[in-house]
């Protein structure tokens, strides 16, 4: 007859082993689950959810003369934490551009990313730039986001079209009259809306930004000539350029009949490739008072 005590001695170790196995399994399971959660959390942090930043319309940078940057892109940070933003690309835009170093975006505020783009004119200018791609960095990780541009990159598109567009040729005598600079790209952007230029049929050129064009004492007195597509302006007397200094522009008319002057080279005013003046004729040279 089996001994009851011996049976308990046989089954007790089995029960203990089973219990230990169950505990070990639970511990291993907890460790595995915990490890999986940690990996998942880490992955989520690296590929953080896309920040809800917004962008505004590209515009000319107002301090171009002192900083060298042509444009700025407004970026809005709607979060409670500061973010870092880098400009990566524009949709379909192949012209090389350079952007300022990472811009800091304060919480619930707009920041600006400054950049410059000098078109090479190897390809036809775009008629629109639909979106911009940014790299956004913050406490939640780093993400690349694409945002639609509110006005299809108008400032950038118009600049490239002015520099690279093939307009109608300018012939001697065509320019006679008074022209108002409507838009200026480059260090002289402050001239837009105020700089008046007068070309006469006899080859004289006068200009002023302070309303003295017909006063007999304009800020600039020069001569000009057209050679093929080049407009050469030689200074006789100017508040900013010495006598005999020369500036050469590539001149054409755009589809709206505006005069487009793309800077080529010169002694004064000095400029860079990509500097452009776009002017509209406001008076024809008929019955205008003659300068001294």
């Amino acid at each position: 007859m089996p001994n009851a005590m011996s049976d308990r001695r046989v089954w007790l170790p089995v029960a203990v082993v089973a219990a230990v196995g169950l505990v070990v399994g639970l511990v291993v399971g907890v460790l595995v689950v915990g490890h999986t959660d940690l990996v998942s959390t880490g992955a989520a942090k690296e590929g953080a959810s896309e920040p809800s930043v917004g962008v505004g319309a590209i515009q000319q940078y107002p301090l171009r003369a002192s900083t060298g940057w042509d444009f700025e892109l407004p970026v809005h940070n709607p979060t409670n934490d500061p973010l870092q933003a880098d400009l990566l690309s524009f949709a379909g835009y192949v012209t090389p551009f350079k952007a300022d170093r990472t811009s800091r975006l304060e919480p619930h505020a707009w920041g600006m990313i400054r950049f410059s783009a000098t078109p090479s004119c190897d390809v036809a200018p775009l008629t629109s730039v639909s979106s911009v791609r940014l790299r956004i960095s913050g406490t939640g990780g780093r993400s690349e986001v694409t945002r639609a541009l509110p006005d299809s990159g108008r400032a950038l598109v118009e600049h490239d079209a002015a520099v690279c567009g093939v307009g109608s040729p300018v012939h001697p005598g065509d320019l006679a009259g008074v022209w108002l600079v409507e838009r200026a790209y480059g260090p002289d952007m402050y001239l837009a809306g105020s700089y008046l230029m007068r070309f006469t049929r006899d080859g004289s050129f006068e200009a002023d930004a302070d309303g003295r064009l017909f006063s007999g004492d304009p800020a600039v007195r020069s001569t000009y000539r057209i050679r093929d597509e080049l407009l050469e302006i030689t200074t006789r007397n100017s508040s900013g350029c010495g006598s005999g200094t020369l500036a050469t522009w590539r001149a054409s008319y755009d589809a709206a009949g505006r005069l487009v002057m793309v800077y080529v080279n010169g002694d004064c005013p000095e400029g860079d490739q990509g500097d452009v003046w776009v002017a509209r004729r406001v008076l024809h040279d008929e019955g205008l008072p003659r300068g001294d």
Side-chain angles (χ1 to χ4, degrees):
M1 180 178 180
N3 187 303
M5 183 61 70
S6 63
D7 288 344
R8 283 196 297 271
R9 290 173 181 171
V10 172
W11 289 105
L12 181 58
V14 173
V16 172
V17 171
V20 171
L22 178 60
V23 171
V24 172
L26 289 174
V27 172
V28 171
V30 169
L31 291 176
V32 170
V33 171
H35 179 69
T36 302
D37 287 345
L38 290 173
V39 171
S40 176
T41 302
K45 189 171 183 179
E46 288 297 322
S49 59
E50 184 177 287
S52 56
V53 296
V55 299
I58 295 173
Q59 54 201 33
Q60 288 181 262
Y61 188 63
L63 302 179
R64 166 64 173 83
S66 59
T67 66
W69 298 107
D70 295 316
F71 302 99
E72 59 184 1
L73 174 72
V75 182
H76 183 253
N77 174 14
T79 72
N80 296 321
D81 299 307
L83 297 174
Q84 305 291 330
D86 292 289
L87 176 58
L88 299 182
S89 64
F90 294 103
Y93 192 74
V94 298
T95 292
F97 68 87
K98 59 180 181 179
D100 199 3
R101 59 187 180 184
T102 301
S103 178
R104 178 181 171 88
L105 306 177
E106 298 297 338
H108 302 286
W110 286 91
M112 297 293 180
I113 301 179
R114 302 177 297 182
F115 69 98
S116 294
T118 301
S120 61
C121 303
D122 292 333
V123 297
L126 293 177
T127 57
S128 68
V129 179
S130 61
S131 63
V132 60
R133 190 159 184 80
L134 306 170
R135 180 187 296 117
I136 305 297
S137 305
T139 56
R142 177 180 296 177
S143 299
E144 293 186 6
V145 302
T146 299
R147 292 290 181 264
L149 288 170
D151 64 349
S152 299
R154 178 181 176 184
L156 194 59
V157 168
E158 288 186 349
H159 172 253
D160 285 14
V163 175
C164 300
V166 179
S168 302
V170 175
H171 300 291
D174 284 354
L175 292 178
V178 177
W179 299 78
L180 171 66
V181 175
E182 290 188 324
R183 186 177 289 271
Y185 297 94
D188 298 324
M189 62 179 295
Y190 66 93
L191 297 177
S194 63
Y195 198 65
L196 289 170
M197 305 181 295
R198 183 187 180 188
F199 298 89
T200 66
R201 296 184 185 279
D202 63 5
S204 66
F205 171 85
E206 296 176 338
D208 197 281
D210 298 319
R212 301 196 311 268
L213 186 64
F214 297 110
S215 68
D217 187 29
V220 177
R221 293 184 182 182
S222 305
T223 59
Y224 77 94
R225 67 173 180 170
I226 300 290
R227 293 195 308 158
D228 297 324
E229 63 175 8
L230 299 180
L231 168 63
E232 297 178 342
I233 299 178
T234 304
T235 301
R236 288 187 300 167
N237 184 19
S238 170
S239 58
C241 298
S243 178
T245 55
L246 173 69
T248 301
W249 307 76
R250 178 167 55 83
S252 63
Y253 297 122
D254 66 11
R258 298 179 302 177
L259 175 65
V260 179
M261 299 169 56
V262 181
Y263 187 84
V264 177
N265 56 52
D267 306 312
C268 188
E270 295 181 351
D272 297 306
Q273 182 185 4
D275 294 351
V276 185
W277 293 359
V278 180
R280 174 173 55 88
R281 185 170 2 218
V282 293
L283 287 172
H284 286 274
D285 198 29
E286 298 175 2
L288 294 178
R290 295 183 59 85
D292 293 339

